[in-house]
Structures are given as structure tokens and as C-alpha cells.
Amino acid sequence: MLELQVGARVVFAHYLPADAGPNNGGYLGLVYPGGTFYGVGFDELRALGTGRHQLALDERARSERGREPEYESEWQRQFERFQFMLFSYSVGAYVALEVLSAAREIFELECRIGRLTRRPDDDLKAVMGADGKWQFQREDGAPHSSSASPSTAEHTFAVSSSSKRHVHLDPDGTWRATWLVVVVEAPTGVLYEQQCAGTGCDDRAIEGYLVPLGGLKVDASAGFIEPDELTSVFHDGSACVWGMCGDRLPHDRLGRLRQLVRSVPYWHRRDDGEEVPSPLELDERRLGELAEAWVPVITPDGPGILMWHNCD
């Protein structure tokens, strides 16, 4: 069964093989012009139209996302990803809490880095303060007297994407499967994109800076870091069972993941100038984001996402 949601410049796709077992949630895809979904091209997918189609796809065929369009704003780009999450929820790939978390992220994006487009009858404008934070002023330059921000329900925010740069990790899937990185969240203007969630093939992005990881574990006697150990948390043998788990990962597996994350050293410089390793910590406040090859963590430099080779 192939289920599609077709837009002008993107197609959301979900395929569930006829012989899928109870642990196979199917395959998700987000396809742009020039891309393919298990051998079916973008134009063919659009011609099929929105809805369910009784088609058998070649699961061995390669999928390509195609050429991502230029967006008028970062908000528009993130909102399209939110629409993809809603589609994924409709086919059972996400839980309601994950959708709610994504909606909050869009709202926070509007509030955090938006450029205020005021109403004709509104005498307020948003300006960037010397501290790098948005402040509200009246047209005469005087600070806004109220401590409350204008209602986001009454304003439209637009985020310029001209200064953003997008880096897709392992874009053609040919990197050696031993790589491991953490992207620490920071307003760098660089978005690191990663395919994650196992066979769910979810594409996500985070703004920040990338720190390569590897070598010996925090306890050097335990040997070298093996990303396959992290992958095994989300698998039952060779079956990708918990690829898009969110906060539904079983307790025993969550405990294993917590230990494995703590075994990864993050090298950083202390105030005295000495380089030292500190263990990463699983960020359990953000378990709703949890997926294979996308693990929210806390580093000595702040929150980030631990990434490695996705199984699909």
C-alpha cells in the first residue's frame, strides 16, 4: 500500500509492503523534484495524486530526496517539515506528543528569531538589541512600556534564510558506518541535516556546530566507541523496531542507551586551559525527539543531538 500527500513542490510518501510483519512500520519518504521513492520518480508520484494506491514497490530500489526548493523563510521550511510530521502521524509513524513538540518548536522559532511584520494600526516594531536579543520599540524609538511581548496570534513572523547554510551528513549514504558526531545547539547559521529514525527515514535538521566523536570510551578499559552499539538499542536482531520511538522506548532499552551515551567522551577546554573529556548525558527532558541516529544529549557546552549512521 502506497499512501501519498502531494503538494506543488514536495510529495510525502509512506509505503507498507503487502507482506509486512507486525514489527514493520513501513517506509517514509519526503520527495522533491528530481527525487525518487523506491524507484518511483517525483513526477510519477504527483501524477498518482493524494490518497492510497495499491502498488508494489521495489524495496531494494534507491530513494533520493531530490532538489530541495528555495524557501522564502526558515519558518516556511520548518512548517513544511511540520506538515510532513502530521502526515507521518496520520500513517502511525509518530505519536501525538511528538506532533505537539514539533508545533512548539515552530512557535518558539517565531518568538526567538522572527522579524516582526506589524499590522498597519500597530505602532510597535522589533529591533535587535546590543545583547543579540529581540526588543520591541515604538516608532519614535522609545522602549515598549509593557513587559509583555505583542501577541503572536496578532502578528506574522518571517525568518530570512539567506544567511543559513545547510549541511547534509552522509548525503549519498556511502560514509563508513563508524562515524559519530554531536551537533551542539548554537545560532551559527549552519543547519546540519540528518536522515534518522531507522526505516522511518525521517529527515531532521539542527542549527549549531559539529563536534566529531570517537576513539576510546570514557572508561578506556572498555575499549573503543562502536556506533553499532547505539543502533542495537533500537533494533530487535536485524529488525528496526524502535527507530521512531520518541518517549516510547522500553525502560530496559532506555537504560542501555543512557549507559552508552555516558560512555562517549566529549573533549573540551576548562577555564584553566586544560583539555579534558567529560561524558555525554542523555537529555531526558527531550525524549519525545528520540529516534535511531538522533539522540538528544547534554554536553559540557550545552544541549545537542548525537548522530551516527542510520540503518536505512
Side-chain angles (χ1 to χ4, degrees), residues 40-312:
V40 183
F42 175 80
D43 292 335
E44 296 173 90
L45 293 170
R46 286 202 66 207
L48 287 169
T50 297
R52 295 181 177 180
H53 308 276
Q54 293 290 347
L55 292 178
L57 303 187
D58 183 358
E59 297 174 58
R60 297 168 299 178
R62 188 172 180 81
S63 294
E64 299 284 351
R65 286 198 310 164
R67 300 181 301 276
E68 186 172 354
E70 293 292 330
Y71 296 93
E72 295 178 2
S73 66
E74 178 60 22
W75 184 93
Q76 187 182 58
R77 180 178 186 275
Q78 293 294 343
F79 184 69
E80 184 175 277
R81 294 303 176 91
F82 176 65
Q83 290 177 304
F84 180 61
M85 177 168 281
L86 287 176
F87 170 79
S88 303
Y89 173 74
S90 72
V91 298
Y94 280 99
V95 297
L97 185 61
E98 292 172 294
V99 176
L100 178 60
S101 176
R104 286 173 174 165
E105 288 179 7
I106 289 182
F107 178 77
E108 290 171 358
L109 177 64
E110 291 180 336
C111 297
R112 185 175 68 250
I113 60 174
R115 174 178 58 81
L116 182 64
T117 301
R118 60 188 179 86
R119 299 173 298 164
D121 60 341
D122 198 330
D123 66 345
L124 295 178
K125 64 178 180 178
V127 297
M128 180 69 78
D131 58 355
K133 298 181 179 179
W134 288 101
Q135 302 171 350
F136 293 95
Q137 291 183 354
R138 300 195 178 281
E139 288 294 345
D140 59 6
H144 182 39
S145 59
S146 171
S147 60
S149 300
S151 169
T152 55
E154 298 176 346
H155 297 81
T156 301
F157 291 83
V159 181
S160 172
S161 60
S162 60
S163 62
K164 299 289 185 181
R165 295 294 180 266
H166 301 268
V167 179
H168 197 119
L169 302 179
D170 195 9
D172 62 356
T174 61
W175 288 9
R176 293 185 181 275
T178 54
W179 64 272
L180 182 69
V181 303
V182 63
V183 176
V184 181
E185 294 183 24
T188 61
V190 180
L191 288 163
Y192 292 92
E193 301 179 2
Q194 158 82 334
Q195 179 178 286
C196 60
T199 55
C201 297
D202 191 16
D203 289 299
R204 302 184 186 180
I206 177 176
E207 182 178 3
Y209 56 90
L210 183 148
V211 179
L213 303 171
L216 291 170
K217 296 180 179 180
V218 171
D219 177 5
S221 65
F224 288 89
I225 300 167
E226 298 290 347
D228 282 347
E229 291 183 305
L230 291 163
T231 299
S232 68
V233 171
F234 302 90
H235 285 222
D236 184 1
S238 61
C240 181
V241 179
W242 302 100
M244 303 182 73
C245 57
D247 58 2
R248 296 172 292 116
L249 190 67
H251 181 73
D252 60 330
R253 291 177 178 270
L254 185 63
R256 283 174 52 199
L257 180 62
R258 189 182 294 116
Q259 291 179 344
L260 288 170
V261 169
R262 286 176 179 167
S263 74
V264 178
Y266 180 97
W267 286 84
H268 60 106
R269 181 170 295 177
R270 296 190 312 205
D271 292 341
D272 60 8
E274 183 179 357
E275 294 279 353
V276 295
S278 294
L280 296 179
E281 294 288 343
L282 182 65
D283 190 348
E284 306 201 24
R285 299 169 301 174
R286 297 189 292 157
L287 289 182
E289 304 175 35
L290 184 61
E292 180 185 328
W294 186 276
V295 174
V297 296
I298 298 295
T299 79
D301 294 322
I305 296 293
L306 182 65
M307 307 179 196
W308 64 95
H309 177 75
N310 189 50
C311 72
D312 190 357

